[in-house]
């Protein structure tokens, strides 16, 4: 399939892809696939104004009707699943299966949000005063800015957008400059959904803001954008958080992860091996939840390492559009350079590196394919505590579980973690208040690949935001606590008497 | 009752109140009542370290046991209610009834938190994969810094501390420099509770950090203090938020309010008048929820104003320890100067000022008593949109409800609001998604005087934090999403296939 | 449109409708439209066995997958909306708009249930013991028997089935003998959904049990059917409840209603009039939530009555398939006779009857059309306290609200109720703990026409069951409270010491 | 301590204990300890009337105030803990430690209920119609009848009463005829609490109904008692359920248990042994949650049996007031006879009986002490499937886990169950939808000794009721679903159009 065929199938016309100032290349081969226009700062302001206008209309559309919009979106995504998955692959280089999985995640969150649209539960609360009642209600909060990263070019938008829209808020999406094509394709779908939905859906419900760092900064700074959801590096997240907090806005941050797996003596090693390989090399190690640190009990270290290395040996690194490919390219040359630097630093720290070298350099000189790396470390040095966005798996031994958990928690990031064990005590300790300090803590599955029904996000340098399931929707609404007096009296709370009669 | 008697009754010895570098005066008469030591920066670090150590122990004490600690606290507070209320009055100048009400609020939140200690509900979530289950658990997060303001010198601490402690976290309290005595008195109580509880309660569970702005900054900056709850001015809150966000910590902000009441033609005017007076002059207008703006329908403007002015005329401004006093002093001279400046600015804007002049200047030359002010305004000028922390009530007319709501929402602050009406449509519109944009929206009660069962806090420049009831406890915990695989298979989420066999 | 065309459009073949022992007539004209087979008692047992077998398989299908089944059902229902609505009209005689509304309700509950399929939230609960955790989980409970009534021949099934299936339970549906055709049509749809879903959906997931009272009794008596949901008369419900309770099964009862509206002096009378007419004559007064009692303040009695009578005068009573028809036939001649008897009894009690006479007797001699009746009563006599399943609206005056609420609560049924008022105090009192004692209490909308997002059902003789929204899903699951000890100790709850060492 | 001293300490005067028609004996020695009056049927009606009257007042007392009543109860119970525990022992024969534990459970539920009193959360629900909102509120339901059994003579009352009272309902308590003294003692406490609370607490808030089966039947039959909570045998429960369902009331049933433990090869055997002994012989095997069936993997059968038998050998069977006693008497001679019959039947089925014989027959000829029995069975015969209320532990072997779970689920009762394992897969399978079918399913703790934070109760012949924690409070309230229209329009749900204009 040529890129052009894929673009056409996803509704992207030649006109859409020509004449702009942002040069888009595909990580598959490094070729330029589009030149698309970016927003000027006047455009940005106009987009924000349009969102504000859309908000005034959309917040009064009943939530179940808003749910119908999201249902239509889910339906369109089901229809376009393959076409969109292909653009995901072309845009960010992940393999077809993962592209399909990413679109499935969009569909899942739509289904979930439709159900939410008849819930968005507030509370009726017992009041201490006769003839009074208390209510907690959740109301739309205003335009939501979504800053997404290249590695999940569409799913992250959908987690935010499906909830934000059901909650009564328009969205403004600033995709990664590296992957704007998927955003364009999704925007086409949104426009179709708007048309199907009819006039109640305002024009500015879903808008795209193509641009670089300034575009993101404009969203972060605007008081008209009460919520900014930002996915990306910890560095970016801190910058966003400070700008947003300067105006007392709300940030939802999904930042770096440095995710570990502990493998205990009782683990099902065959299961562990499969989980390790998928979570360490899936999306070429470029998931925020990718497995980066493996902490293995000394008693099983040898057989497990042998089995992993053997699996790595046979991993097909290839064009991600090829059937059979399991590892596609890194996003670009700087990413490959960063990986090589990390491996060198690890070597300097005494690490034994297995794999990790550039590959397919002849076939795709402008792309950045690598063989995934395993690095055996004696201790958790600085480089191990850093997140290198590439398929590098650091492996360490441990002797007792406390020590393993301490090592797991030692890094600044707090996104995902897991343990492989069949011992219920080990599993429960890992999940307990003195266990993993991450937002995600799994047992017998890898750190990546969350279902949408749970809240997704992490602690510490991961930024503390939560998206997707559970009550993550509350981040997209404002809470109103009301006390209603329907009596003829005016008793004060806490029994205060205030009167000079 | 002499101050000394009051101090002794509250367990404050002479030694506690002498020899320090922080000079404490009572707003009642401006006299110096104590000189207490402040923490050096080394002290501060030691306090934080002790809190961290306490955390390691306390997080593993079962939550219902932690609830028992808070139950004992509630019991002690019941016993000490009057003694502590007196210190509240001496420290911040609020009248006895309000001092008692404030301690009652502490007791209420303790009762509530005890119940919570057997809840702190996480979720069991349906998983999409066979042989899997998902859990959302809430775990202790670490030491909580509490920065409180002079106007609720003890209640705000208790909202935060009762929840934080039940949730498994030690607290470090930096009270206002203006009201450290209440903090000392509460600290004595906490020490008694610790002793009653026995060895499971670590030493550093409740600590006091007496100091100025640097002490607050140290809490905001420390990565060992994952949650900082700050109550005070918007200016202070923005500063805290930025420092905390720089390290990706969590802030709970309760900042300024500029709270309005809308009075509609159908209102019960007698009820409205009483609510206006209490909420505008209670605590001498120094509540964050004090009524500052009154938006009255033109058809009832005259009678309502007449009735309010008449009530103001007979308001007893007096020493707050006197029985019968309803309005005590402002916190200090600068507060009175700021009030006079505001009144002058309002006059310049065409406002008609009623009352507002300094009083009791002979009796208490070093204190800052004022007569509460009513200012009739033709429009909502800059000074009206500002929060002046004093009993100044701006009054404006409106013609239709939309206009009134727009005026109510026009200010930057978003804390509290209310409507007086007997018309259910007006009430519901006020509470709806296009109604009041505040965190608190009441019907037929004033903006101040929240019950502890609801979540307390506000939007926009009020900072977005929520404390006290509902699920505010979640702000004091970390959320863990776990997926547990107990099958022998390793299915991936979203149906992804990843295998080269 | 001929019946045959309608049947064909809904997938009912001639073979489906011929040769059975149950003669099905349409209330539209009294003609026989089908003869369908009923289940023998051996058939019934086989159906129950098949359901049990299906249960063993279905309970292990992950809930979100079960949700997918329901999503497919919703999709099919969208596709078949008109065709199915026509069968509803032919089967039970309700007008086309109401038939469409009923199918829409099926669709709505499917959307809702899909969202639930990723929730079905259990709880993680704080344990009092170190190294312990508590979980509350919800598990599938087993086959659910659904006994439905003629007046909502498909919606009631869908409320139960969508939830039951998402919750992991097969359903066995015993429709009213009067309306089996809609059930056959829905069964066809279910079979299509099963086929689309694939082999994970067991054959016995959705089964039909066509039969009379014995069929219902068999479901009620079978220990293999842990949950029996029964909609119909109070008499039937009591019988079911006793049989089910004899084996300690669970009943969900939706029985009779005798629903009232209170109209207060401040009511929007135009709105009230429209609500009265729709809720009193919609579905020819044969909804369980139909308005049967109107309690009007004496001050507005005259104009309101005039306006209602005028509206009744112009009500088109007609073949429900006709465009423009608002009132179709009663279900059968006995229903008409019962109505006439009720009117006579009311007359004997001093009631003034307006309308109520049989109509279209020439055009449809075998059908039972009537003009809706208004009966002005001086007091709430025995006949008024009875539920007559026909369009009879008893009207009474009241003087003060307490008296009106007492009258509203005086009947044995407790399903639905409403107040029309613009006075917020009246509205709130009506909704308060001393207000309406019904399961449904509306303000400014009639008693009928619930949205699916709320829990539907009533108190007292209505049977106490809840279906549809909120946490009604819990009725279809079993609750499991688990305490998990992952420590090496065995502390007892409540601090008990039990040891002889 | 003499009985008289104990009675006096608990506030029971001689007058309270003399002259009635109900002869009360202590199981400790079979001696008559009191003769107390029972209610005539006129008394019963008066009690119910008084409860109804109390309801009308109490339902309007704000819930947090109602919580204060329960807080005072908890405080009194703390004060009276020992005194009341002694009466528990004298009345039902359980050892002092268990008596104290039972009172602690009362205290715990009070603390929990106080917290609930500011929750009792209803829902604000998103409505599909513009200008509408939906609320789910929970209101007091009316007098609650509590029928309790001898084995938990006070805790069961407190679970029900603490919740019922916070929920706004008076309670009528019919204790077991075998243990009325504890009820008298608790009633004294309630009267003190009423007095402390002041006039808002109506006289009939807590009433005692002393009597036999007719008294219970009167509660079950009365339409003035909307909720009947009954704890006892399955036979009794079925009878109550049918009477209550005849009037469409609500039953909360806590009936028989036949609770099993599965011990797997990976179990911590020392822990298992201790749990087995406590849960099989605690309260002399007369807990509804007592361990009755032990299902042991064949590989560990021998060592486990040896260890249990050795523990049984040294169990002190003694006067329960004696320090050191671990096993007190059965409740009476018929109970001992039933136990002997069961052992004989088990022998006939091939069971090997260890222990079980009457003891202390000389010391206490009128009491019914026994040595706890272990019975090794080859299969689960009829007698094993029966609940014999005595310390009889049937032991069986299993080979694979499925078989063990099937055996565990094979009985008609569904109260409590547990597994001892350190294998997380076994634990999770046991807790899964195809695992234990009981209301309680524990891991590594015995079946008895629930914390109050979870919902307590069971499935199948256990009756399906839930008491104590989680959302069990909902059983004591009526649910109200309200839709509120504050717009000027009258849109119908499901988009129905109904108009002839």
């Amino acid at each position: 399939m040529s890129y052009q065929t894929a673009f056409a199938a996803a509704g992207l016309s030649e006109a859409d892809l020509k004449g702009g100032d942002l040069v888009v290349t595909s990580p598959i081969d490094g070729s330029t696939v589009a030149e698309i226009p970016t927003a000027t700062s006047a455009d940005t302001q106009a987009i924000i104004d349009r969102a504000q206008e859309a908000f005034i209309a959309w917040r009064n559309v009943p939530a179940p009707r808003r749910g119908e919009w999201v249902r239509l979106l889910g339906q369109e995504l089901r229809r376009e699943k393959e076409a969109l998955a292909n653009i995901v692959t072309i845009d960010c280089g992940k393999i077809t299966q993962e592209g399909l999985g990413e679109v499935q995640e969009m569909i899942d969150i739509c289904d979930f949000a439709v159900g939410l649209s008849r819930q968005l539960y507030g509370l009726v609360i017992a009041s201490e005063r006769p003839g009074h009642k208390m209510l907690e209600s959740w109301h739309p909060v205003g335009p939501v800015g979504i800053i997404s990263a290249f590695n999940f070019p569409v799913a992250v938008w959908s987690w935010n957008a499906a909830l934000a829209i059901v909650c009564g808020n328009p969205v403004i999406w600033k995709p990664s400059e590296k992957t704007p094509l998927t955003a364009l394709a999704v925007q086409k779908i949104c426009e179709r959904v708007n048309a199907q939905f009819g006039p109640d859906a305002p024009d500015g419900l879903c808008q795209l803001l193509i641009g670089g760092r300034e575009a993101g900064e404009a969203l972060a700074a605007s008081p008209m954008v009460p919520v900014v959801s930002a996915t990306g590096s910890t560095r970016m997240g801190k910058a966003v958080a400070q700008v947003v907090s300067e105006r007392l806005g709300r940030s939802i941050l999904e930042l770096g992860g440095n995710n570990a797996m502990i493998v205990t003596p009782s683990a099902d090693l065959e299961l562990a091996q499969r989980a390790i390989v998928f979570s360490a090399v899936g999306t070429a190690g470029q998931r925020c939840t990718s497995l980066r640190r493996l902490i293995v009990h000394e008693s099983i270290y040898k057989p497990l390492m042998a089995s992993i290395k053997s699996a790595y040996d046979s991993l097909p690194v290839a064009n991600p559009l090829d059937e059979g490919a399991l590892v596609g390219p890194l996003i670009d040359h700087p990413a490959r350079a960063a990986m090589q630097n990390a491996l060198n630093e690890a070597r300097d720290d005494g690490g034994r590196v297995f794999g990790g070298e550039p590959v397919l350099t002849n076939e795709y000189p402008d792309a950045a394919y690598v063989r995934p790396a395993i690095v055996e470390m004696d201790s958790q040095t600085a480089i191990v505590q850093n997140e290198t966005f590439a398929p590098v798996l650091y492996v360490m031994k441990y002797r007792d579980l406390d020590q393993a958990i301490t090592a797991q928690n030692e890094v600044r990031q707090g996104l995902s973690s897991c343990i492989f064990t069949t011992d219920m005590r080990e599993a429960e300790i890992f999940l307990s208040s003195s266990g993993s300090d991450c937002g995600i803590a799994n047992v017998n599955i890898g750190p990546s690949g969350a279902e949408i029904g749970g809240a997704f996000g992490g602690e510490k340098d991961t930024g503390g935001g939560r998206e997707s399931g559970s009550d993550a929707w509350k981040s997209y609404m404002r809470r109103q606590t009301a006390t209603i007096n329907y009596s003829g009296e005016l008793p004060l709370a806490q029994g205060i008497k205030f009167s000079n009669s």
Side-chain angles (χ1 to χ4, degrees), chain A:
Chain A
M1 183 182 50
S2 78
Y3 297 165
Q4 296 321 314
T5 319
F7 293 156
L12 298 176
S13 69
E14 284 195 34
D16 293 326
L17 305 174
K18 279 271 170 296
D21 52 327
L22 176 61
V23 176
V24 185
T25 58
S26 170
I28 296 179
D29 55 10
S31 68
T32 294
V33 293
E35 289 166 350
I36 63 172
T38 56
T40 63
S41 103
D43 293 341
T44 303
Q45 193 50 52
I47 283 171
I48 292 175
D49 289 347
R50 202 148 50 228
Q52 181 61 24
E53 202 181 320
F55 172 59
I56 299 304
W58 191 241
R59 68 179 178 180
N60 286 333
V61 172
R65 280 283 294 149
R66 300 190 304 238
E68 176 64 9
W69 194 97
V70 174
R71 195 188 65 80
L72 293 172
L73 174 63
Q75 203 170 48
E76 282 299 306
L77 288 168
R78 278 186 168 88
R79 195 169 294 148
E80 302 289 327
K81 185 170 175 180
E82 255 183 83
L84 186 56
N86 280 328
I87 310 301
V88 168
T89 296
I90 294 169
D91 225 12
C92 79
K94 65 174 61 170
I95 63 172
T96 303
Q97 267 292 317
E98 293 191 287
L100 289 168
E102 184 165 353
V103 181
Q104 185 60 44
E105 205 161 332
M106 302 176 82
I107 294 168
D108 290 350
I109 193 73
C110 287
D111 286 355
F112 182 76
V114 172
L116 272 186
S117 75
R118 289 188 185 269
Q119 302 184 331
L120 300 178
Y121 292 142
L123 299 175
V124 181
I125 303 175
S127 165
E128 72 192 44
R129 288 174 274 190
H132 285 57
K133 85 173 174 195
M134 291 179 75
L135 296 181
E136 171 171 292
S137 303
W138 293 89
H139 289 310
V141 70
V144 173
I146 304 170
I147 299 174
S148 65
F150 77 85
N151 61 333
F152 276 89
V154 289
V156 167
W157 171 81
S158 72
W159 296 347
N160 283 280
L163 296 193
I165 288 171
V166 156
C167 290
N169 311 305
V171 296
I172 303 173
W173 181 12
K174 196 214 95 46
S176 166
E177 308 91 290
K178 298 178 182 169
T179 56
L181 301 187
T182 43
L184 286 180
V186 169
Q187 183 65 11
K188 299 275 177 187
I189 291 175
C190 290
E191 280 158 18
R192 275 209 301 284
V193 170
N194 252 26
Q196 285 173 49
F197 190 78
D200 280 357
D203 271 359
L205 187 57
C206 293
Q207 294 182 89
L208 211 52
L209 172 57
I210 302 285
R213 166 194 276 253
E214 332 70 57
E217 282 169 354
L219 288 180
S222 171
M224 311 280 276
V225 182
V227 179
V228 177
S229 172
T231 302
S233 69
T234 292
R235 192 196 45 70
M236 179 279 296
K238 286 185 175 177
V240 166
Q242 286 179 84
V243 175
V244 172
S245 70
E246 203 284 327
R247 58 174 174 95
L248 294 169
R250 195 187 295 168
S251 310
I252 306 171
L253 302 174
E254 303 286 349
L255 311 176
N258 190 350
N259 317 292
M261 178 191 292
I262 297 170
V263 188
T264 81
S266 72
D268 179 329
L269 290 189
E270 195 265 329
L271 222 59
Q273 182 257 85
R274 286 168 51 211
I276 291 162
V277 174
F278 171 69
S279 53
V281 315
T283 321
Q286 297 172 113
R287 293 191 173 203
C288 44
T289 54
S290 286
L291 179 63
R292 308 204 177 285
R293 297 181 296 139
L294 186 63
I295 304 170
V296 183
H297 192 265
E298 54 185 17
S299 67
I300 52 165
Y301 187 85
K302 266 203 182 163
L304 184 63
M305 287 309 296
S307 133
I308 296 168
K309 287 180 177 169
S310 150
Y312 266 56
D313 268 335
S314 65
L315 276 174
V317 182
N319 183 321
L321 289 168
D322 290 357
E323 203 169 332
L326 288 185
V327 182
L330 292 180
I331 187 67
D332 54 20
H333 280 265
R336 188 157 72 184
M339 177 186 177
Q340 301 306 315
N341 289 342
L343 294 178
N344 287 335
E345 185 172 341
R347 276 187 197 99
D348 291 349
D349 291 347
R352 275 88 55 210
V353 177
F354 175 90
E357 66 281 7
V359 293
L360 301 177
T361 44
N362 291 336
E363 294 87 334
Y364 301 107
D366 295 330
Y369 291 83
V370 294
R371 181 149 291 284
I374 296 169
V375 188
E376 296 179 89
M377 300 294 295
D378 295 326
S379 68
Q380 202 159 242
T381 61
I383 189 64
V384 180
Q385 298 190 38
N386 211 40
E387 181 191 27
T388 302
F389 223 57
V392 177
L393 179 65
Y394 299 102
V395 192
M396 288 154 289
K397 285 185 197 163
Y398 80 90
R399 188 162 290 178
D400 66 67
L401 187 58
D402 274 3
Q403 177 198 353
I405 291 175
T406 301
Q408 130 74 31
N409 289 349
E410 215 169 32
V411 300
R412 274 302 307 156
Q413 304 87 346
L415 181 51
S416 190
S417 61
C418 61
I419 192 169
F420 271 70
T421 182
T422 59
D423 184 309
M424 67 82 72
R425 287 171 175 170
E426 290 181 337
E428 295 291 351
I429 287 167
F430 181 74
L431 297 178
S432 77
S433 60
S434 46
S436 163
D437 64 2
C438 289
I440 298 172
N442 294 334
V443 178
N444 294 335
I445 60 173
S448 69
E451 300 185 17
I452 61 94
F456 180 89
E459 298 297 317
K460 302 194 297 186
D461 271 8
T462 302
R466 288 300 186 283
E467 294 173 349
S468 202
S470 184
D471 67 354
W473 60 269
K474 291 183 178 173
S475 293
Y476 304 89
M477 304 199 85
R478 63 182 177 88
R479 185 198 304 243
Q480 180 192 76
T481 304
T483 308
I484 297 165
N485 176 11
Y486 58 94
S487 77
E489 308 295 318
L490 193 76
L492 301 179
Q494 292 92 44
I496 293 177
K497 305 290 170 215
F498 190 89
S499 147
N500 55 337
S501 58

